[in-house]
Amino acid sequence: MNIIFFITGLLLVFAIGYAVSFNRKGIKFKPILIMLVTQIVLTFLLLNTKFGVVVIGAISKTFSKIMELAISGVDFVFGGLENAKASTFFLDVLLPIIFISVLIGILNHFKVLPFIIKYVGLFLSKLNGMGKLENYIAVSSAILGQSEVFLTTKKQLGLVSKRRLYTLCTSAMSAVSVSIVGAYMTMLESKYVVIAIVLNILSALIIANIINPYSIEEEGDLLLVEEEKVRPSFFQMISDSIMDGLKIAVIVAAMLIGFIALINFINFLFTAIFHISFETILGYIFSPIAFLIGVPMAETTKAGSIMATKMVTNEFVAMINFQGMAKGLSDRTVAIVSVFLVSFANFSSVGIITGSVRALQEKQGEEVAKFGMKLLLGSTLASILSATVMGLFIS
């Protein structure tokens, strides 16, 4: 049955992608197949081999320790505000982002992350035949985040075509920043977060190959990464990273307050008027998608509701709701939905991406705004594809 649902999930993704493709005749199936096989092999290795178990275990323990150390700093400042044996989301999940941001800043400062991003990107470009810039953005988005990644390619951003710009933005929305991975791991199983990050890089490129196929001349396949004109001192970098982490934590907190209150308000109105909650309606709308990618029939409405909540609000709101629901769901549903949730594919991210690009290149920002809904569709299809691959390995 896993193979059947894998096929139906693929057909769903490919059918929708093909229907909205900019250039159906230009779709190159060989790189798509290569990347899909790579996803299957990587997922198998991570889930079903001793090597994979060790790798995921090491990553999980690393982030667990980082979160523990981060919370020690939070406790020093806010410890007296917590209730005994209680967990406060802002203190225990969001504020540790500050410490992770510092670690990322240090790795950037000593050129460790740029080295990894550059050569993983070059390897992927050989694998899939896509441009160096496209693969650089796909990899660096998974580390730096959807807004920050464009800062490193500001010069080239103004030179790329509209078609290439769509692919870059789809990759940015399909990824997640390492700075918030620790927060995700407090709400989802660590192994699903790790696998989702790996799958999403390739899923975004596969979807871009379907919706937005194009060819790049060899002389146009350049990668111009911006270097800092004045490199800050080590301690200045630490201070900047701390403030960046705080901004992320506060922004996420503000969005959670607004979106959760709004969803509850809409649920209240729908229940009062139609005697059914808005989230339940969303669940029915998304339940066919959940079924086609392998969620058991009895759980499709609940899974569909979480998937829709993520797209309409953001992944944090969906993860919080999913936490209370997951214990009553099968392992298969938990795995599929967990992988689907690990990305920035939602309405608010369209605004963030558009604003980020416009701040650097106003004309390109206007182009992003024009294909905003297609951008959301592409990044959501990437999440569906990643979840479909995950379902192949969970009974």
Side-chain angles (χ1 to χ4, degrees):
M1 286 300 291
N2 285 13
I3 294 176
I4 292 174
F5 284 118
F6 175 70
I7 293 171
T8 57
L10 285 184
L11 288 175
L12 171 69
V13 169
F14 278 74
I16 296 174
Y18 185 82
V20 301
S21 178
F22 290 113
N23 179 18
R24 297 186 183 99
K25 292 182 179 179
I27 296 174
K28 299 174 183 176
F29 290 97
K30 182 178 178 181
I32 291 173
L33 183 60
I34 290 173
M35 286 189 284
L36 187 59
V37 170
T38 303
Q39 284 185 309
I40 293 170
V41 171
L42 288 174
T43 306
F44 174 80
L45 290 174
L46 289 171
L47 282 177
N48 298 309
T49 66
K50 186 175 181 180
F51 169 77
V53 171
V54 169
V55 168
I56 288 181
I59 294 173
S60 300
K61 288 178 182 177
T62 299
F63 273 98
S64 178
K65 188 62 179 179
I66 288 172
M67 292 294 286
E68 180 186 325
L69 294 170
I71 288 173
S72 68
V74 175
D75 285 343
F76 180 81
V77 178
F78 295 105
L81 296 179
E82 290 189 316
N83 295 322
K85 298 181 180 179
S87 175
T88 305
F89 188 84
F90 183 69
L91 299 182
D92 294 343
V93 178
L94 296 184
L95 285 186
I97 290 173
I98 296 172
F99 179 55
I100 297 176
S101 179
V102 171
L103 295 181
I104 293 172
I106 293 172
L107 291 174
N108 260 327
H109 187 79
F110 290 109
K111 306 296 183 182
V112 176
L113 288 183
F115 178 84
I116 294 171
I117 291 169
K118 179 180 178 180
Y119 286 100
V120 172
L122 287 174
F123 170 76
L124 281 179
S125 68
K126 299 293 184 184
L127 182 71
N128 57 35
M130 297 181 72
K132 295 173 184 175
L133 178 62
E134 283 80 352
N135 284 284
Y136 169 83
I137 293 291
V139 177
S140 56
S141 294
I143 297 175
L144 303 176
Q146 61 181 341
S147 303
E148 295 81 358
V149 66
F150 292 114
L151 290 170
T152 63
T153 56
K154 179 181 177 180
K155 185 182 296 183
Q156 201 165 356
L157 193 62
L159 304 175
V160 298
S161 66
K162 181 173 70 173
R163 299 284 288 279
R164 293 186 77 184
L165 186 63
Y166 176 86
T167 296
L168 304 183
C169 292
T170 300
S171 288
M173 276 187 66
S174 300
V176 294
S177 169
V178 169
S179 62
I180 59 176
V181 166
Y184 288 166
M185 288 182 178
T186 66
M187 296 178 282
L188 303 173
E189 284 193 52
S190 300
K191 63 181 178 181
Y192 298 141
V193 176
V194 174
I195 291 171
I197 292 170
V198 174
L199 289 178
N200 285 345
I201 293 172
L202 292 170
S203 288
L205 295 174
I206 289 172
I207 297 302
N209 263 292
I210 300 171
I211 293 180
N212 187 42
Y214 54 82
S215 298
I216 303 173
E217 299 298 329
E218 190 172 339
E219 60 268 21
D221 187 17
L222 303 174
L223 177 59
L224 308 174
V225 179
E226 293 276 313
E227 296 286 343
E228 294 174 302
K229 292 180 180 178
V230 180
R231 192 183 185 196
S233 67
F234 180 79
F235 291 103
Q236 179 62 47
M237 175 274 297
I238 294 290
S239 300
D240 292 343
S241 298
I242 289 170
M243 295 308 298
D244 289 341
L246 178 61
K247 289 174 187 176
I248 294 171
V250 172
I251 289 170
V252 172
M255 294 186 74
L256 286 175
I257 292 169
F259 276 121
I260 290 175
L262 180 61
I263 285 290
N264 288 337
F265 174 67
I266 295 174
N267 278 333
F268 170 77
L269 290 180
F270 269 72
T271 303
I273 299 171
F274 304 109
H275 305 291
I276 184 172
S277 72
F278 178 64
E279 286 183 323
T280 302
I281 293 173
L282 289 177
Y284 285 121
I285 294 172
F286 270 72
S287 58
I289 296 174
F291 176 73
L292 288 174
I293 64 176
V295 173
M297 177 66 80
E299 300 174 346
T300 54
T301 303
K302 290 182 178 179
S305 174
I306 295 298
M307 293 166 68
T309 298
K310 182 243 184 166
M311 191 182 79
V312 174
T313 58
N314 62 45
E315 74 280 5
F316 274 103
V317 177
M319 287 177 190
I320 291 169
N321 291 348
F322 188 54
Q323 272 188 299
M325 190 187 297
K327 291 181 181 178
L329 299 175
S330 64
D331 291 342
R332 180 172 176 80
T333 298
V334 169
I336 291 172
V337 175
S338 295
V339 170
F340 177 86
L341 293 180
V342 182
S343 84
F344 290 141
N346 56 64
F347 280 102
S348 58
S349 285
V350 175
I352 293 171
I353 291 283
T354 303
S356 300
V357 175
R358 181 176 282 147
L360 299 173
Q361 299 286 343
E362 187 170 348
K363 183 176 286 189
Q364 295 290 57
E366 292 171 2
E367 293 293 342
V368 175
K370 289 177 184 177
F371 56 63
M373 292 306 296
K374 209 164 192 176
L375 184 59
L376 176 62
L377 176 62
S379 56
T380 300
L381 286 176
S383 293
I384 292 173
L385 177 57
S386 294
T388 298
V389 175
M390 184 72 241
L392 185 61
F393 297 94
I394 304 294
S395 301

